[in-house]
Amino acid sequence: MTASPPFQADPDRVVFDRKELGLILSTYGRFVAAGEWRDYGMSFLRDVAIFSVFRRAAEHPLYRIEKRPRLRSAQGAYAVIGMDGRVLKRGHDLTQVLRVLDSKLIRAVD
């Protein structure tokens, strides 16, 4: 008898793979170190995986990083969406899409 995993993957849900999650968490870590972000949440739904970042846990997300595989052949599967719902960047390469956040981290020093 073989041991079953502690959870069963749901083939009807979109998820981030290990590489994608590593890229997202690397970006998240830089913002946490800068004191900009303090919490995150993940949702895995039928048509989209969402990584939401928060300044404080009780707020609405500052940004959502989404993966929508059905859009992969059109605009690209990945998107960064602002608090107001605007798509800040969409594309096929998650690394390139996440770069839109880098400009948010750079600040002028007085």
Side-chain angles (χ1 to χ4, degrees):
M1 178 157 81
T2 61
S4 65
F7 63 90
Q8 293 294 327
D10 185 348
D12 292 332
R13 293 186 189 264
V14 177
V15 297
F16 294 110
D17 65 28
R18 186 179 299 255
K19 182 181 174 194
E20 293 164 338
L21 201 51
L23 290 169
I24 293 168
L25 288 173
S26 175
T27 300
Y28 175 78
R30 287 196 324 268
F31 278 85
V32 168
E36 295 294 315
W37 296 350
R38 289 185 175 71
D39 201 6
Y40 72 89
M42 291 188 284
S43 300
F44 303 109
L45 307 172
R46 187 174 304 267
D47 59 343
V48 62
I50 304 169
F51 186 96
S52 301
V53 294
F54 301 86
R55 183 166 288 136
R56 290 177 193 78
E59 293 182 344
H60 294 288
L62 293 172
Y63 300 101
R64 292 188 331 263
I65 300 163
E66 294 187 356
K67 175 183 177 182
R68 292 182 182 268
R70 286 196 294 167
L71 296 178
R72 111 179 113 241
S73 61
Q75 308 109 317
Y78 304 106
V80 173
I81 301 169
M83 182 187 287
D84 58 0
R86 286 183 304 133
V87 176
L88 303 177
K89 180 85 170 167
R90 182 180 298 279
H92 300 281
D93 180 16
L94 181 58
T95 303
Q96 293 295 325
V97 171
L98 290 174
R99 285 202 177 127
V100 73
L101 295 170
D102 289 342
S103 64
K104 312 294 184 204
L105 193 57
I106 300 171
R107 292 192 195 160
V109 178
D110 294 318

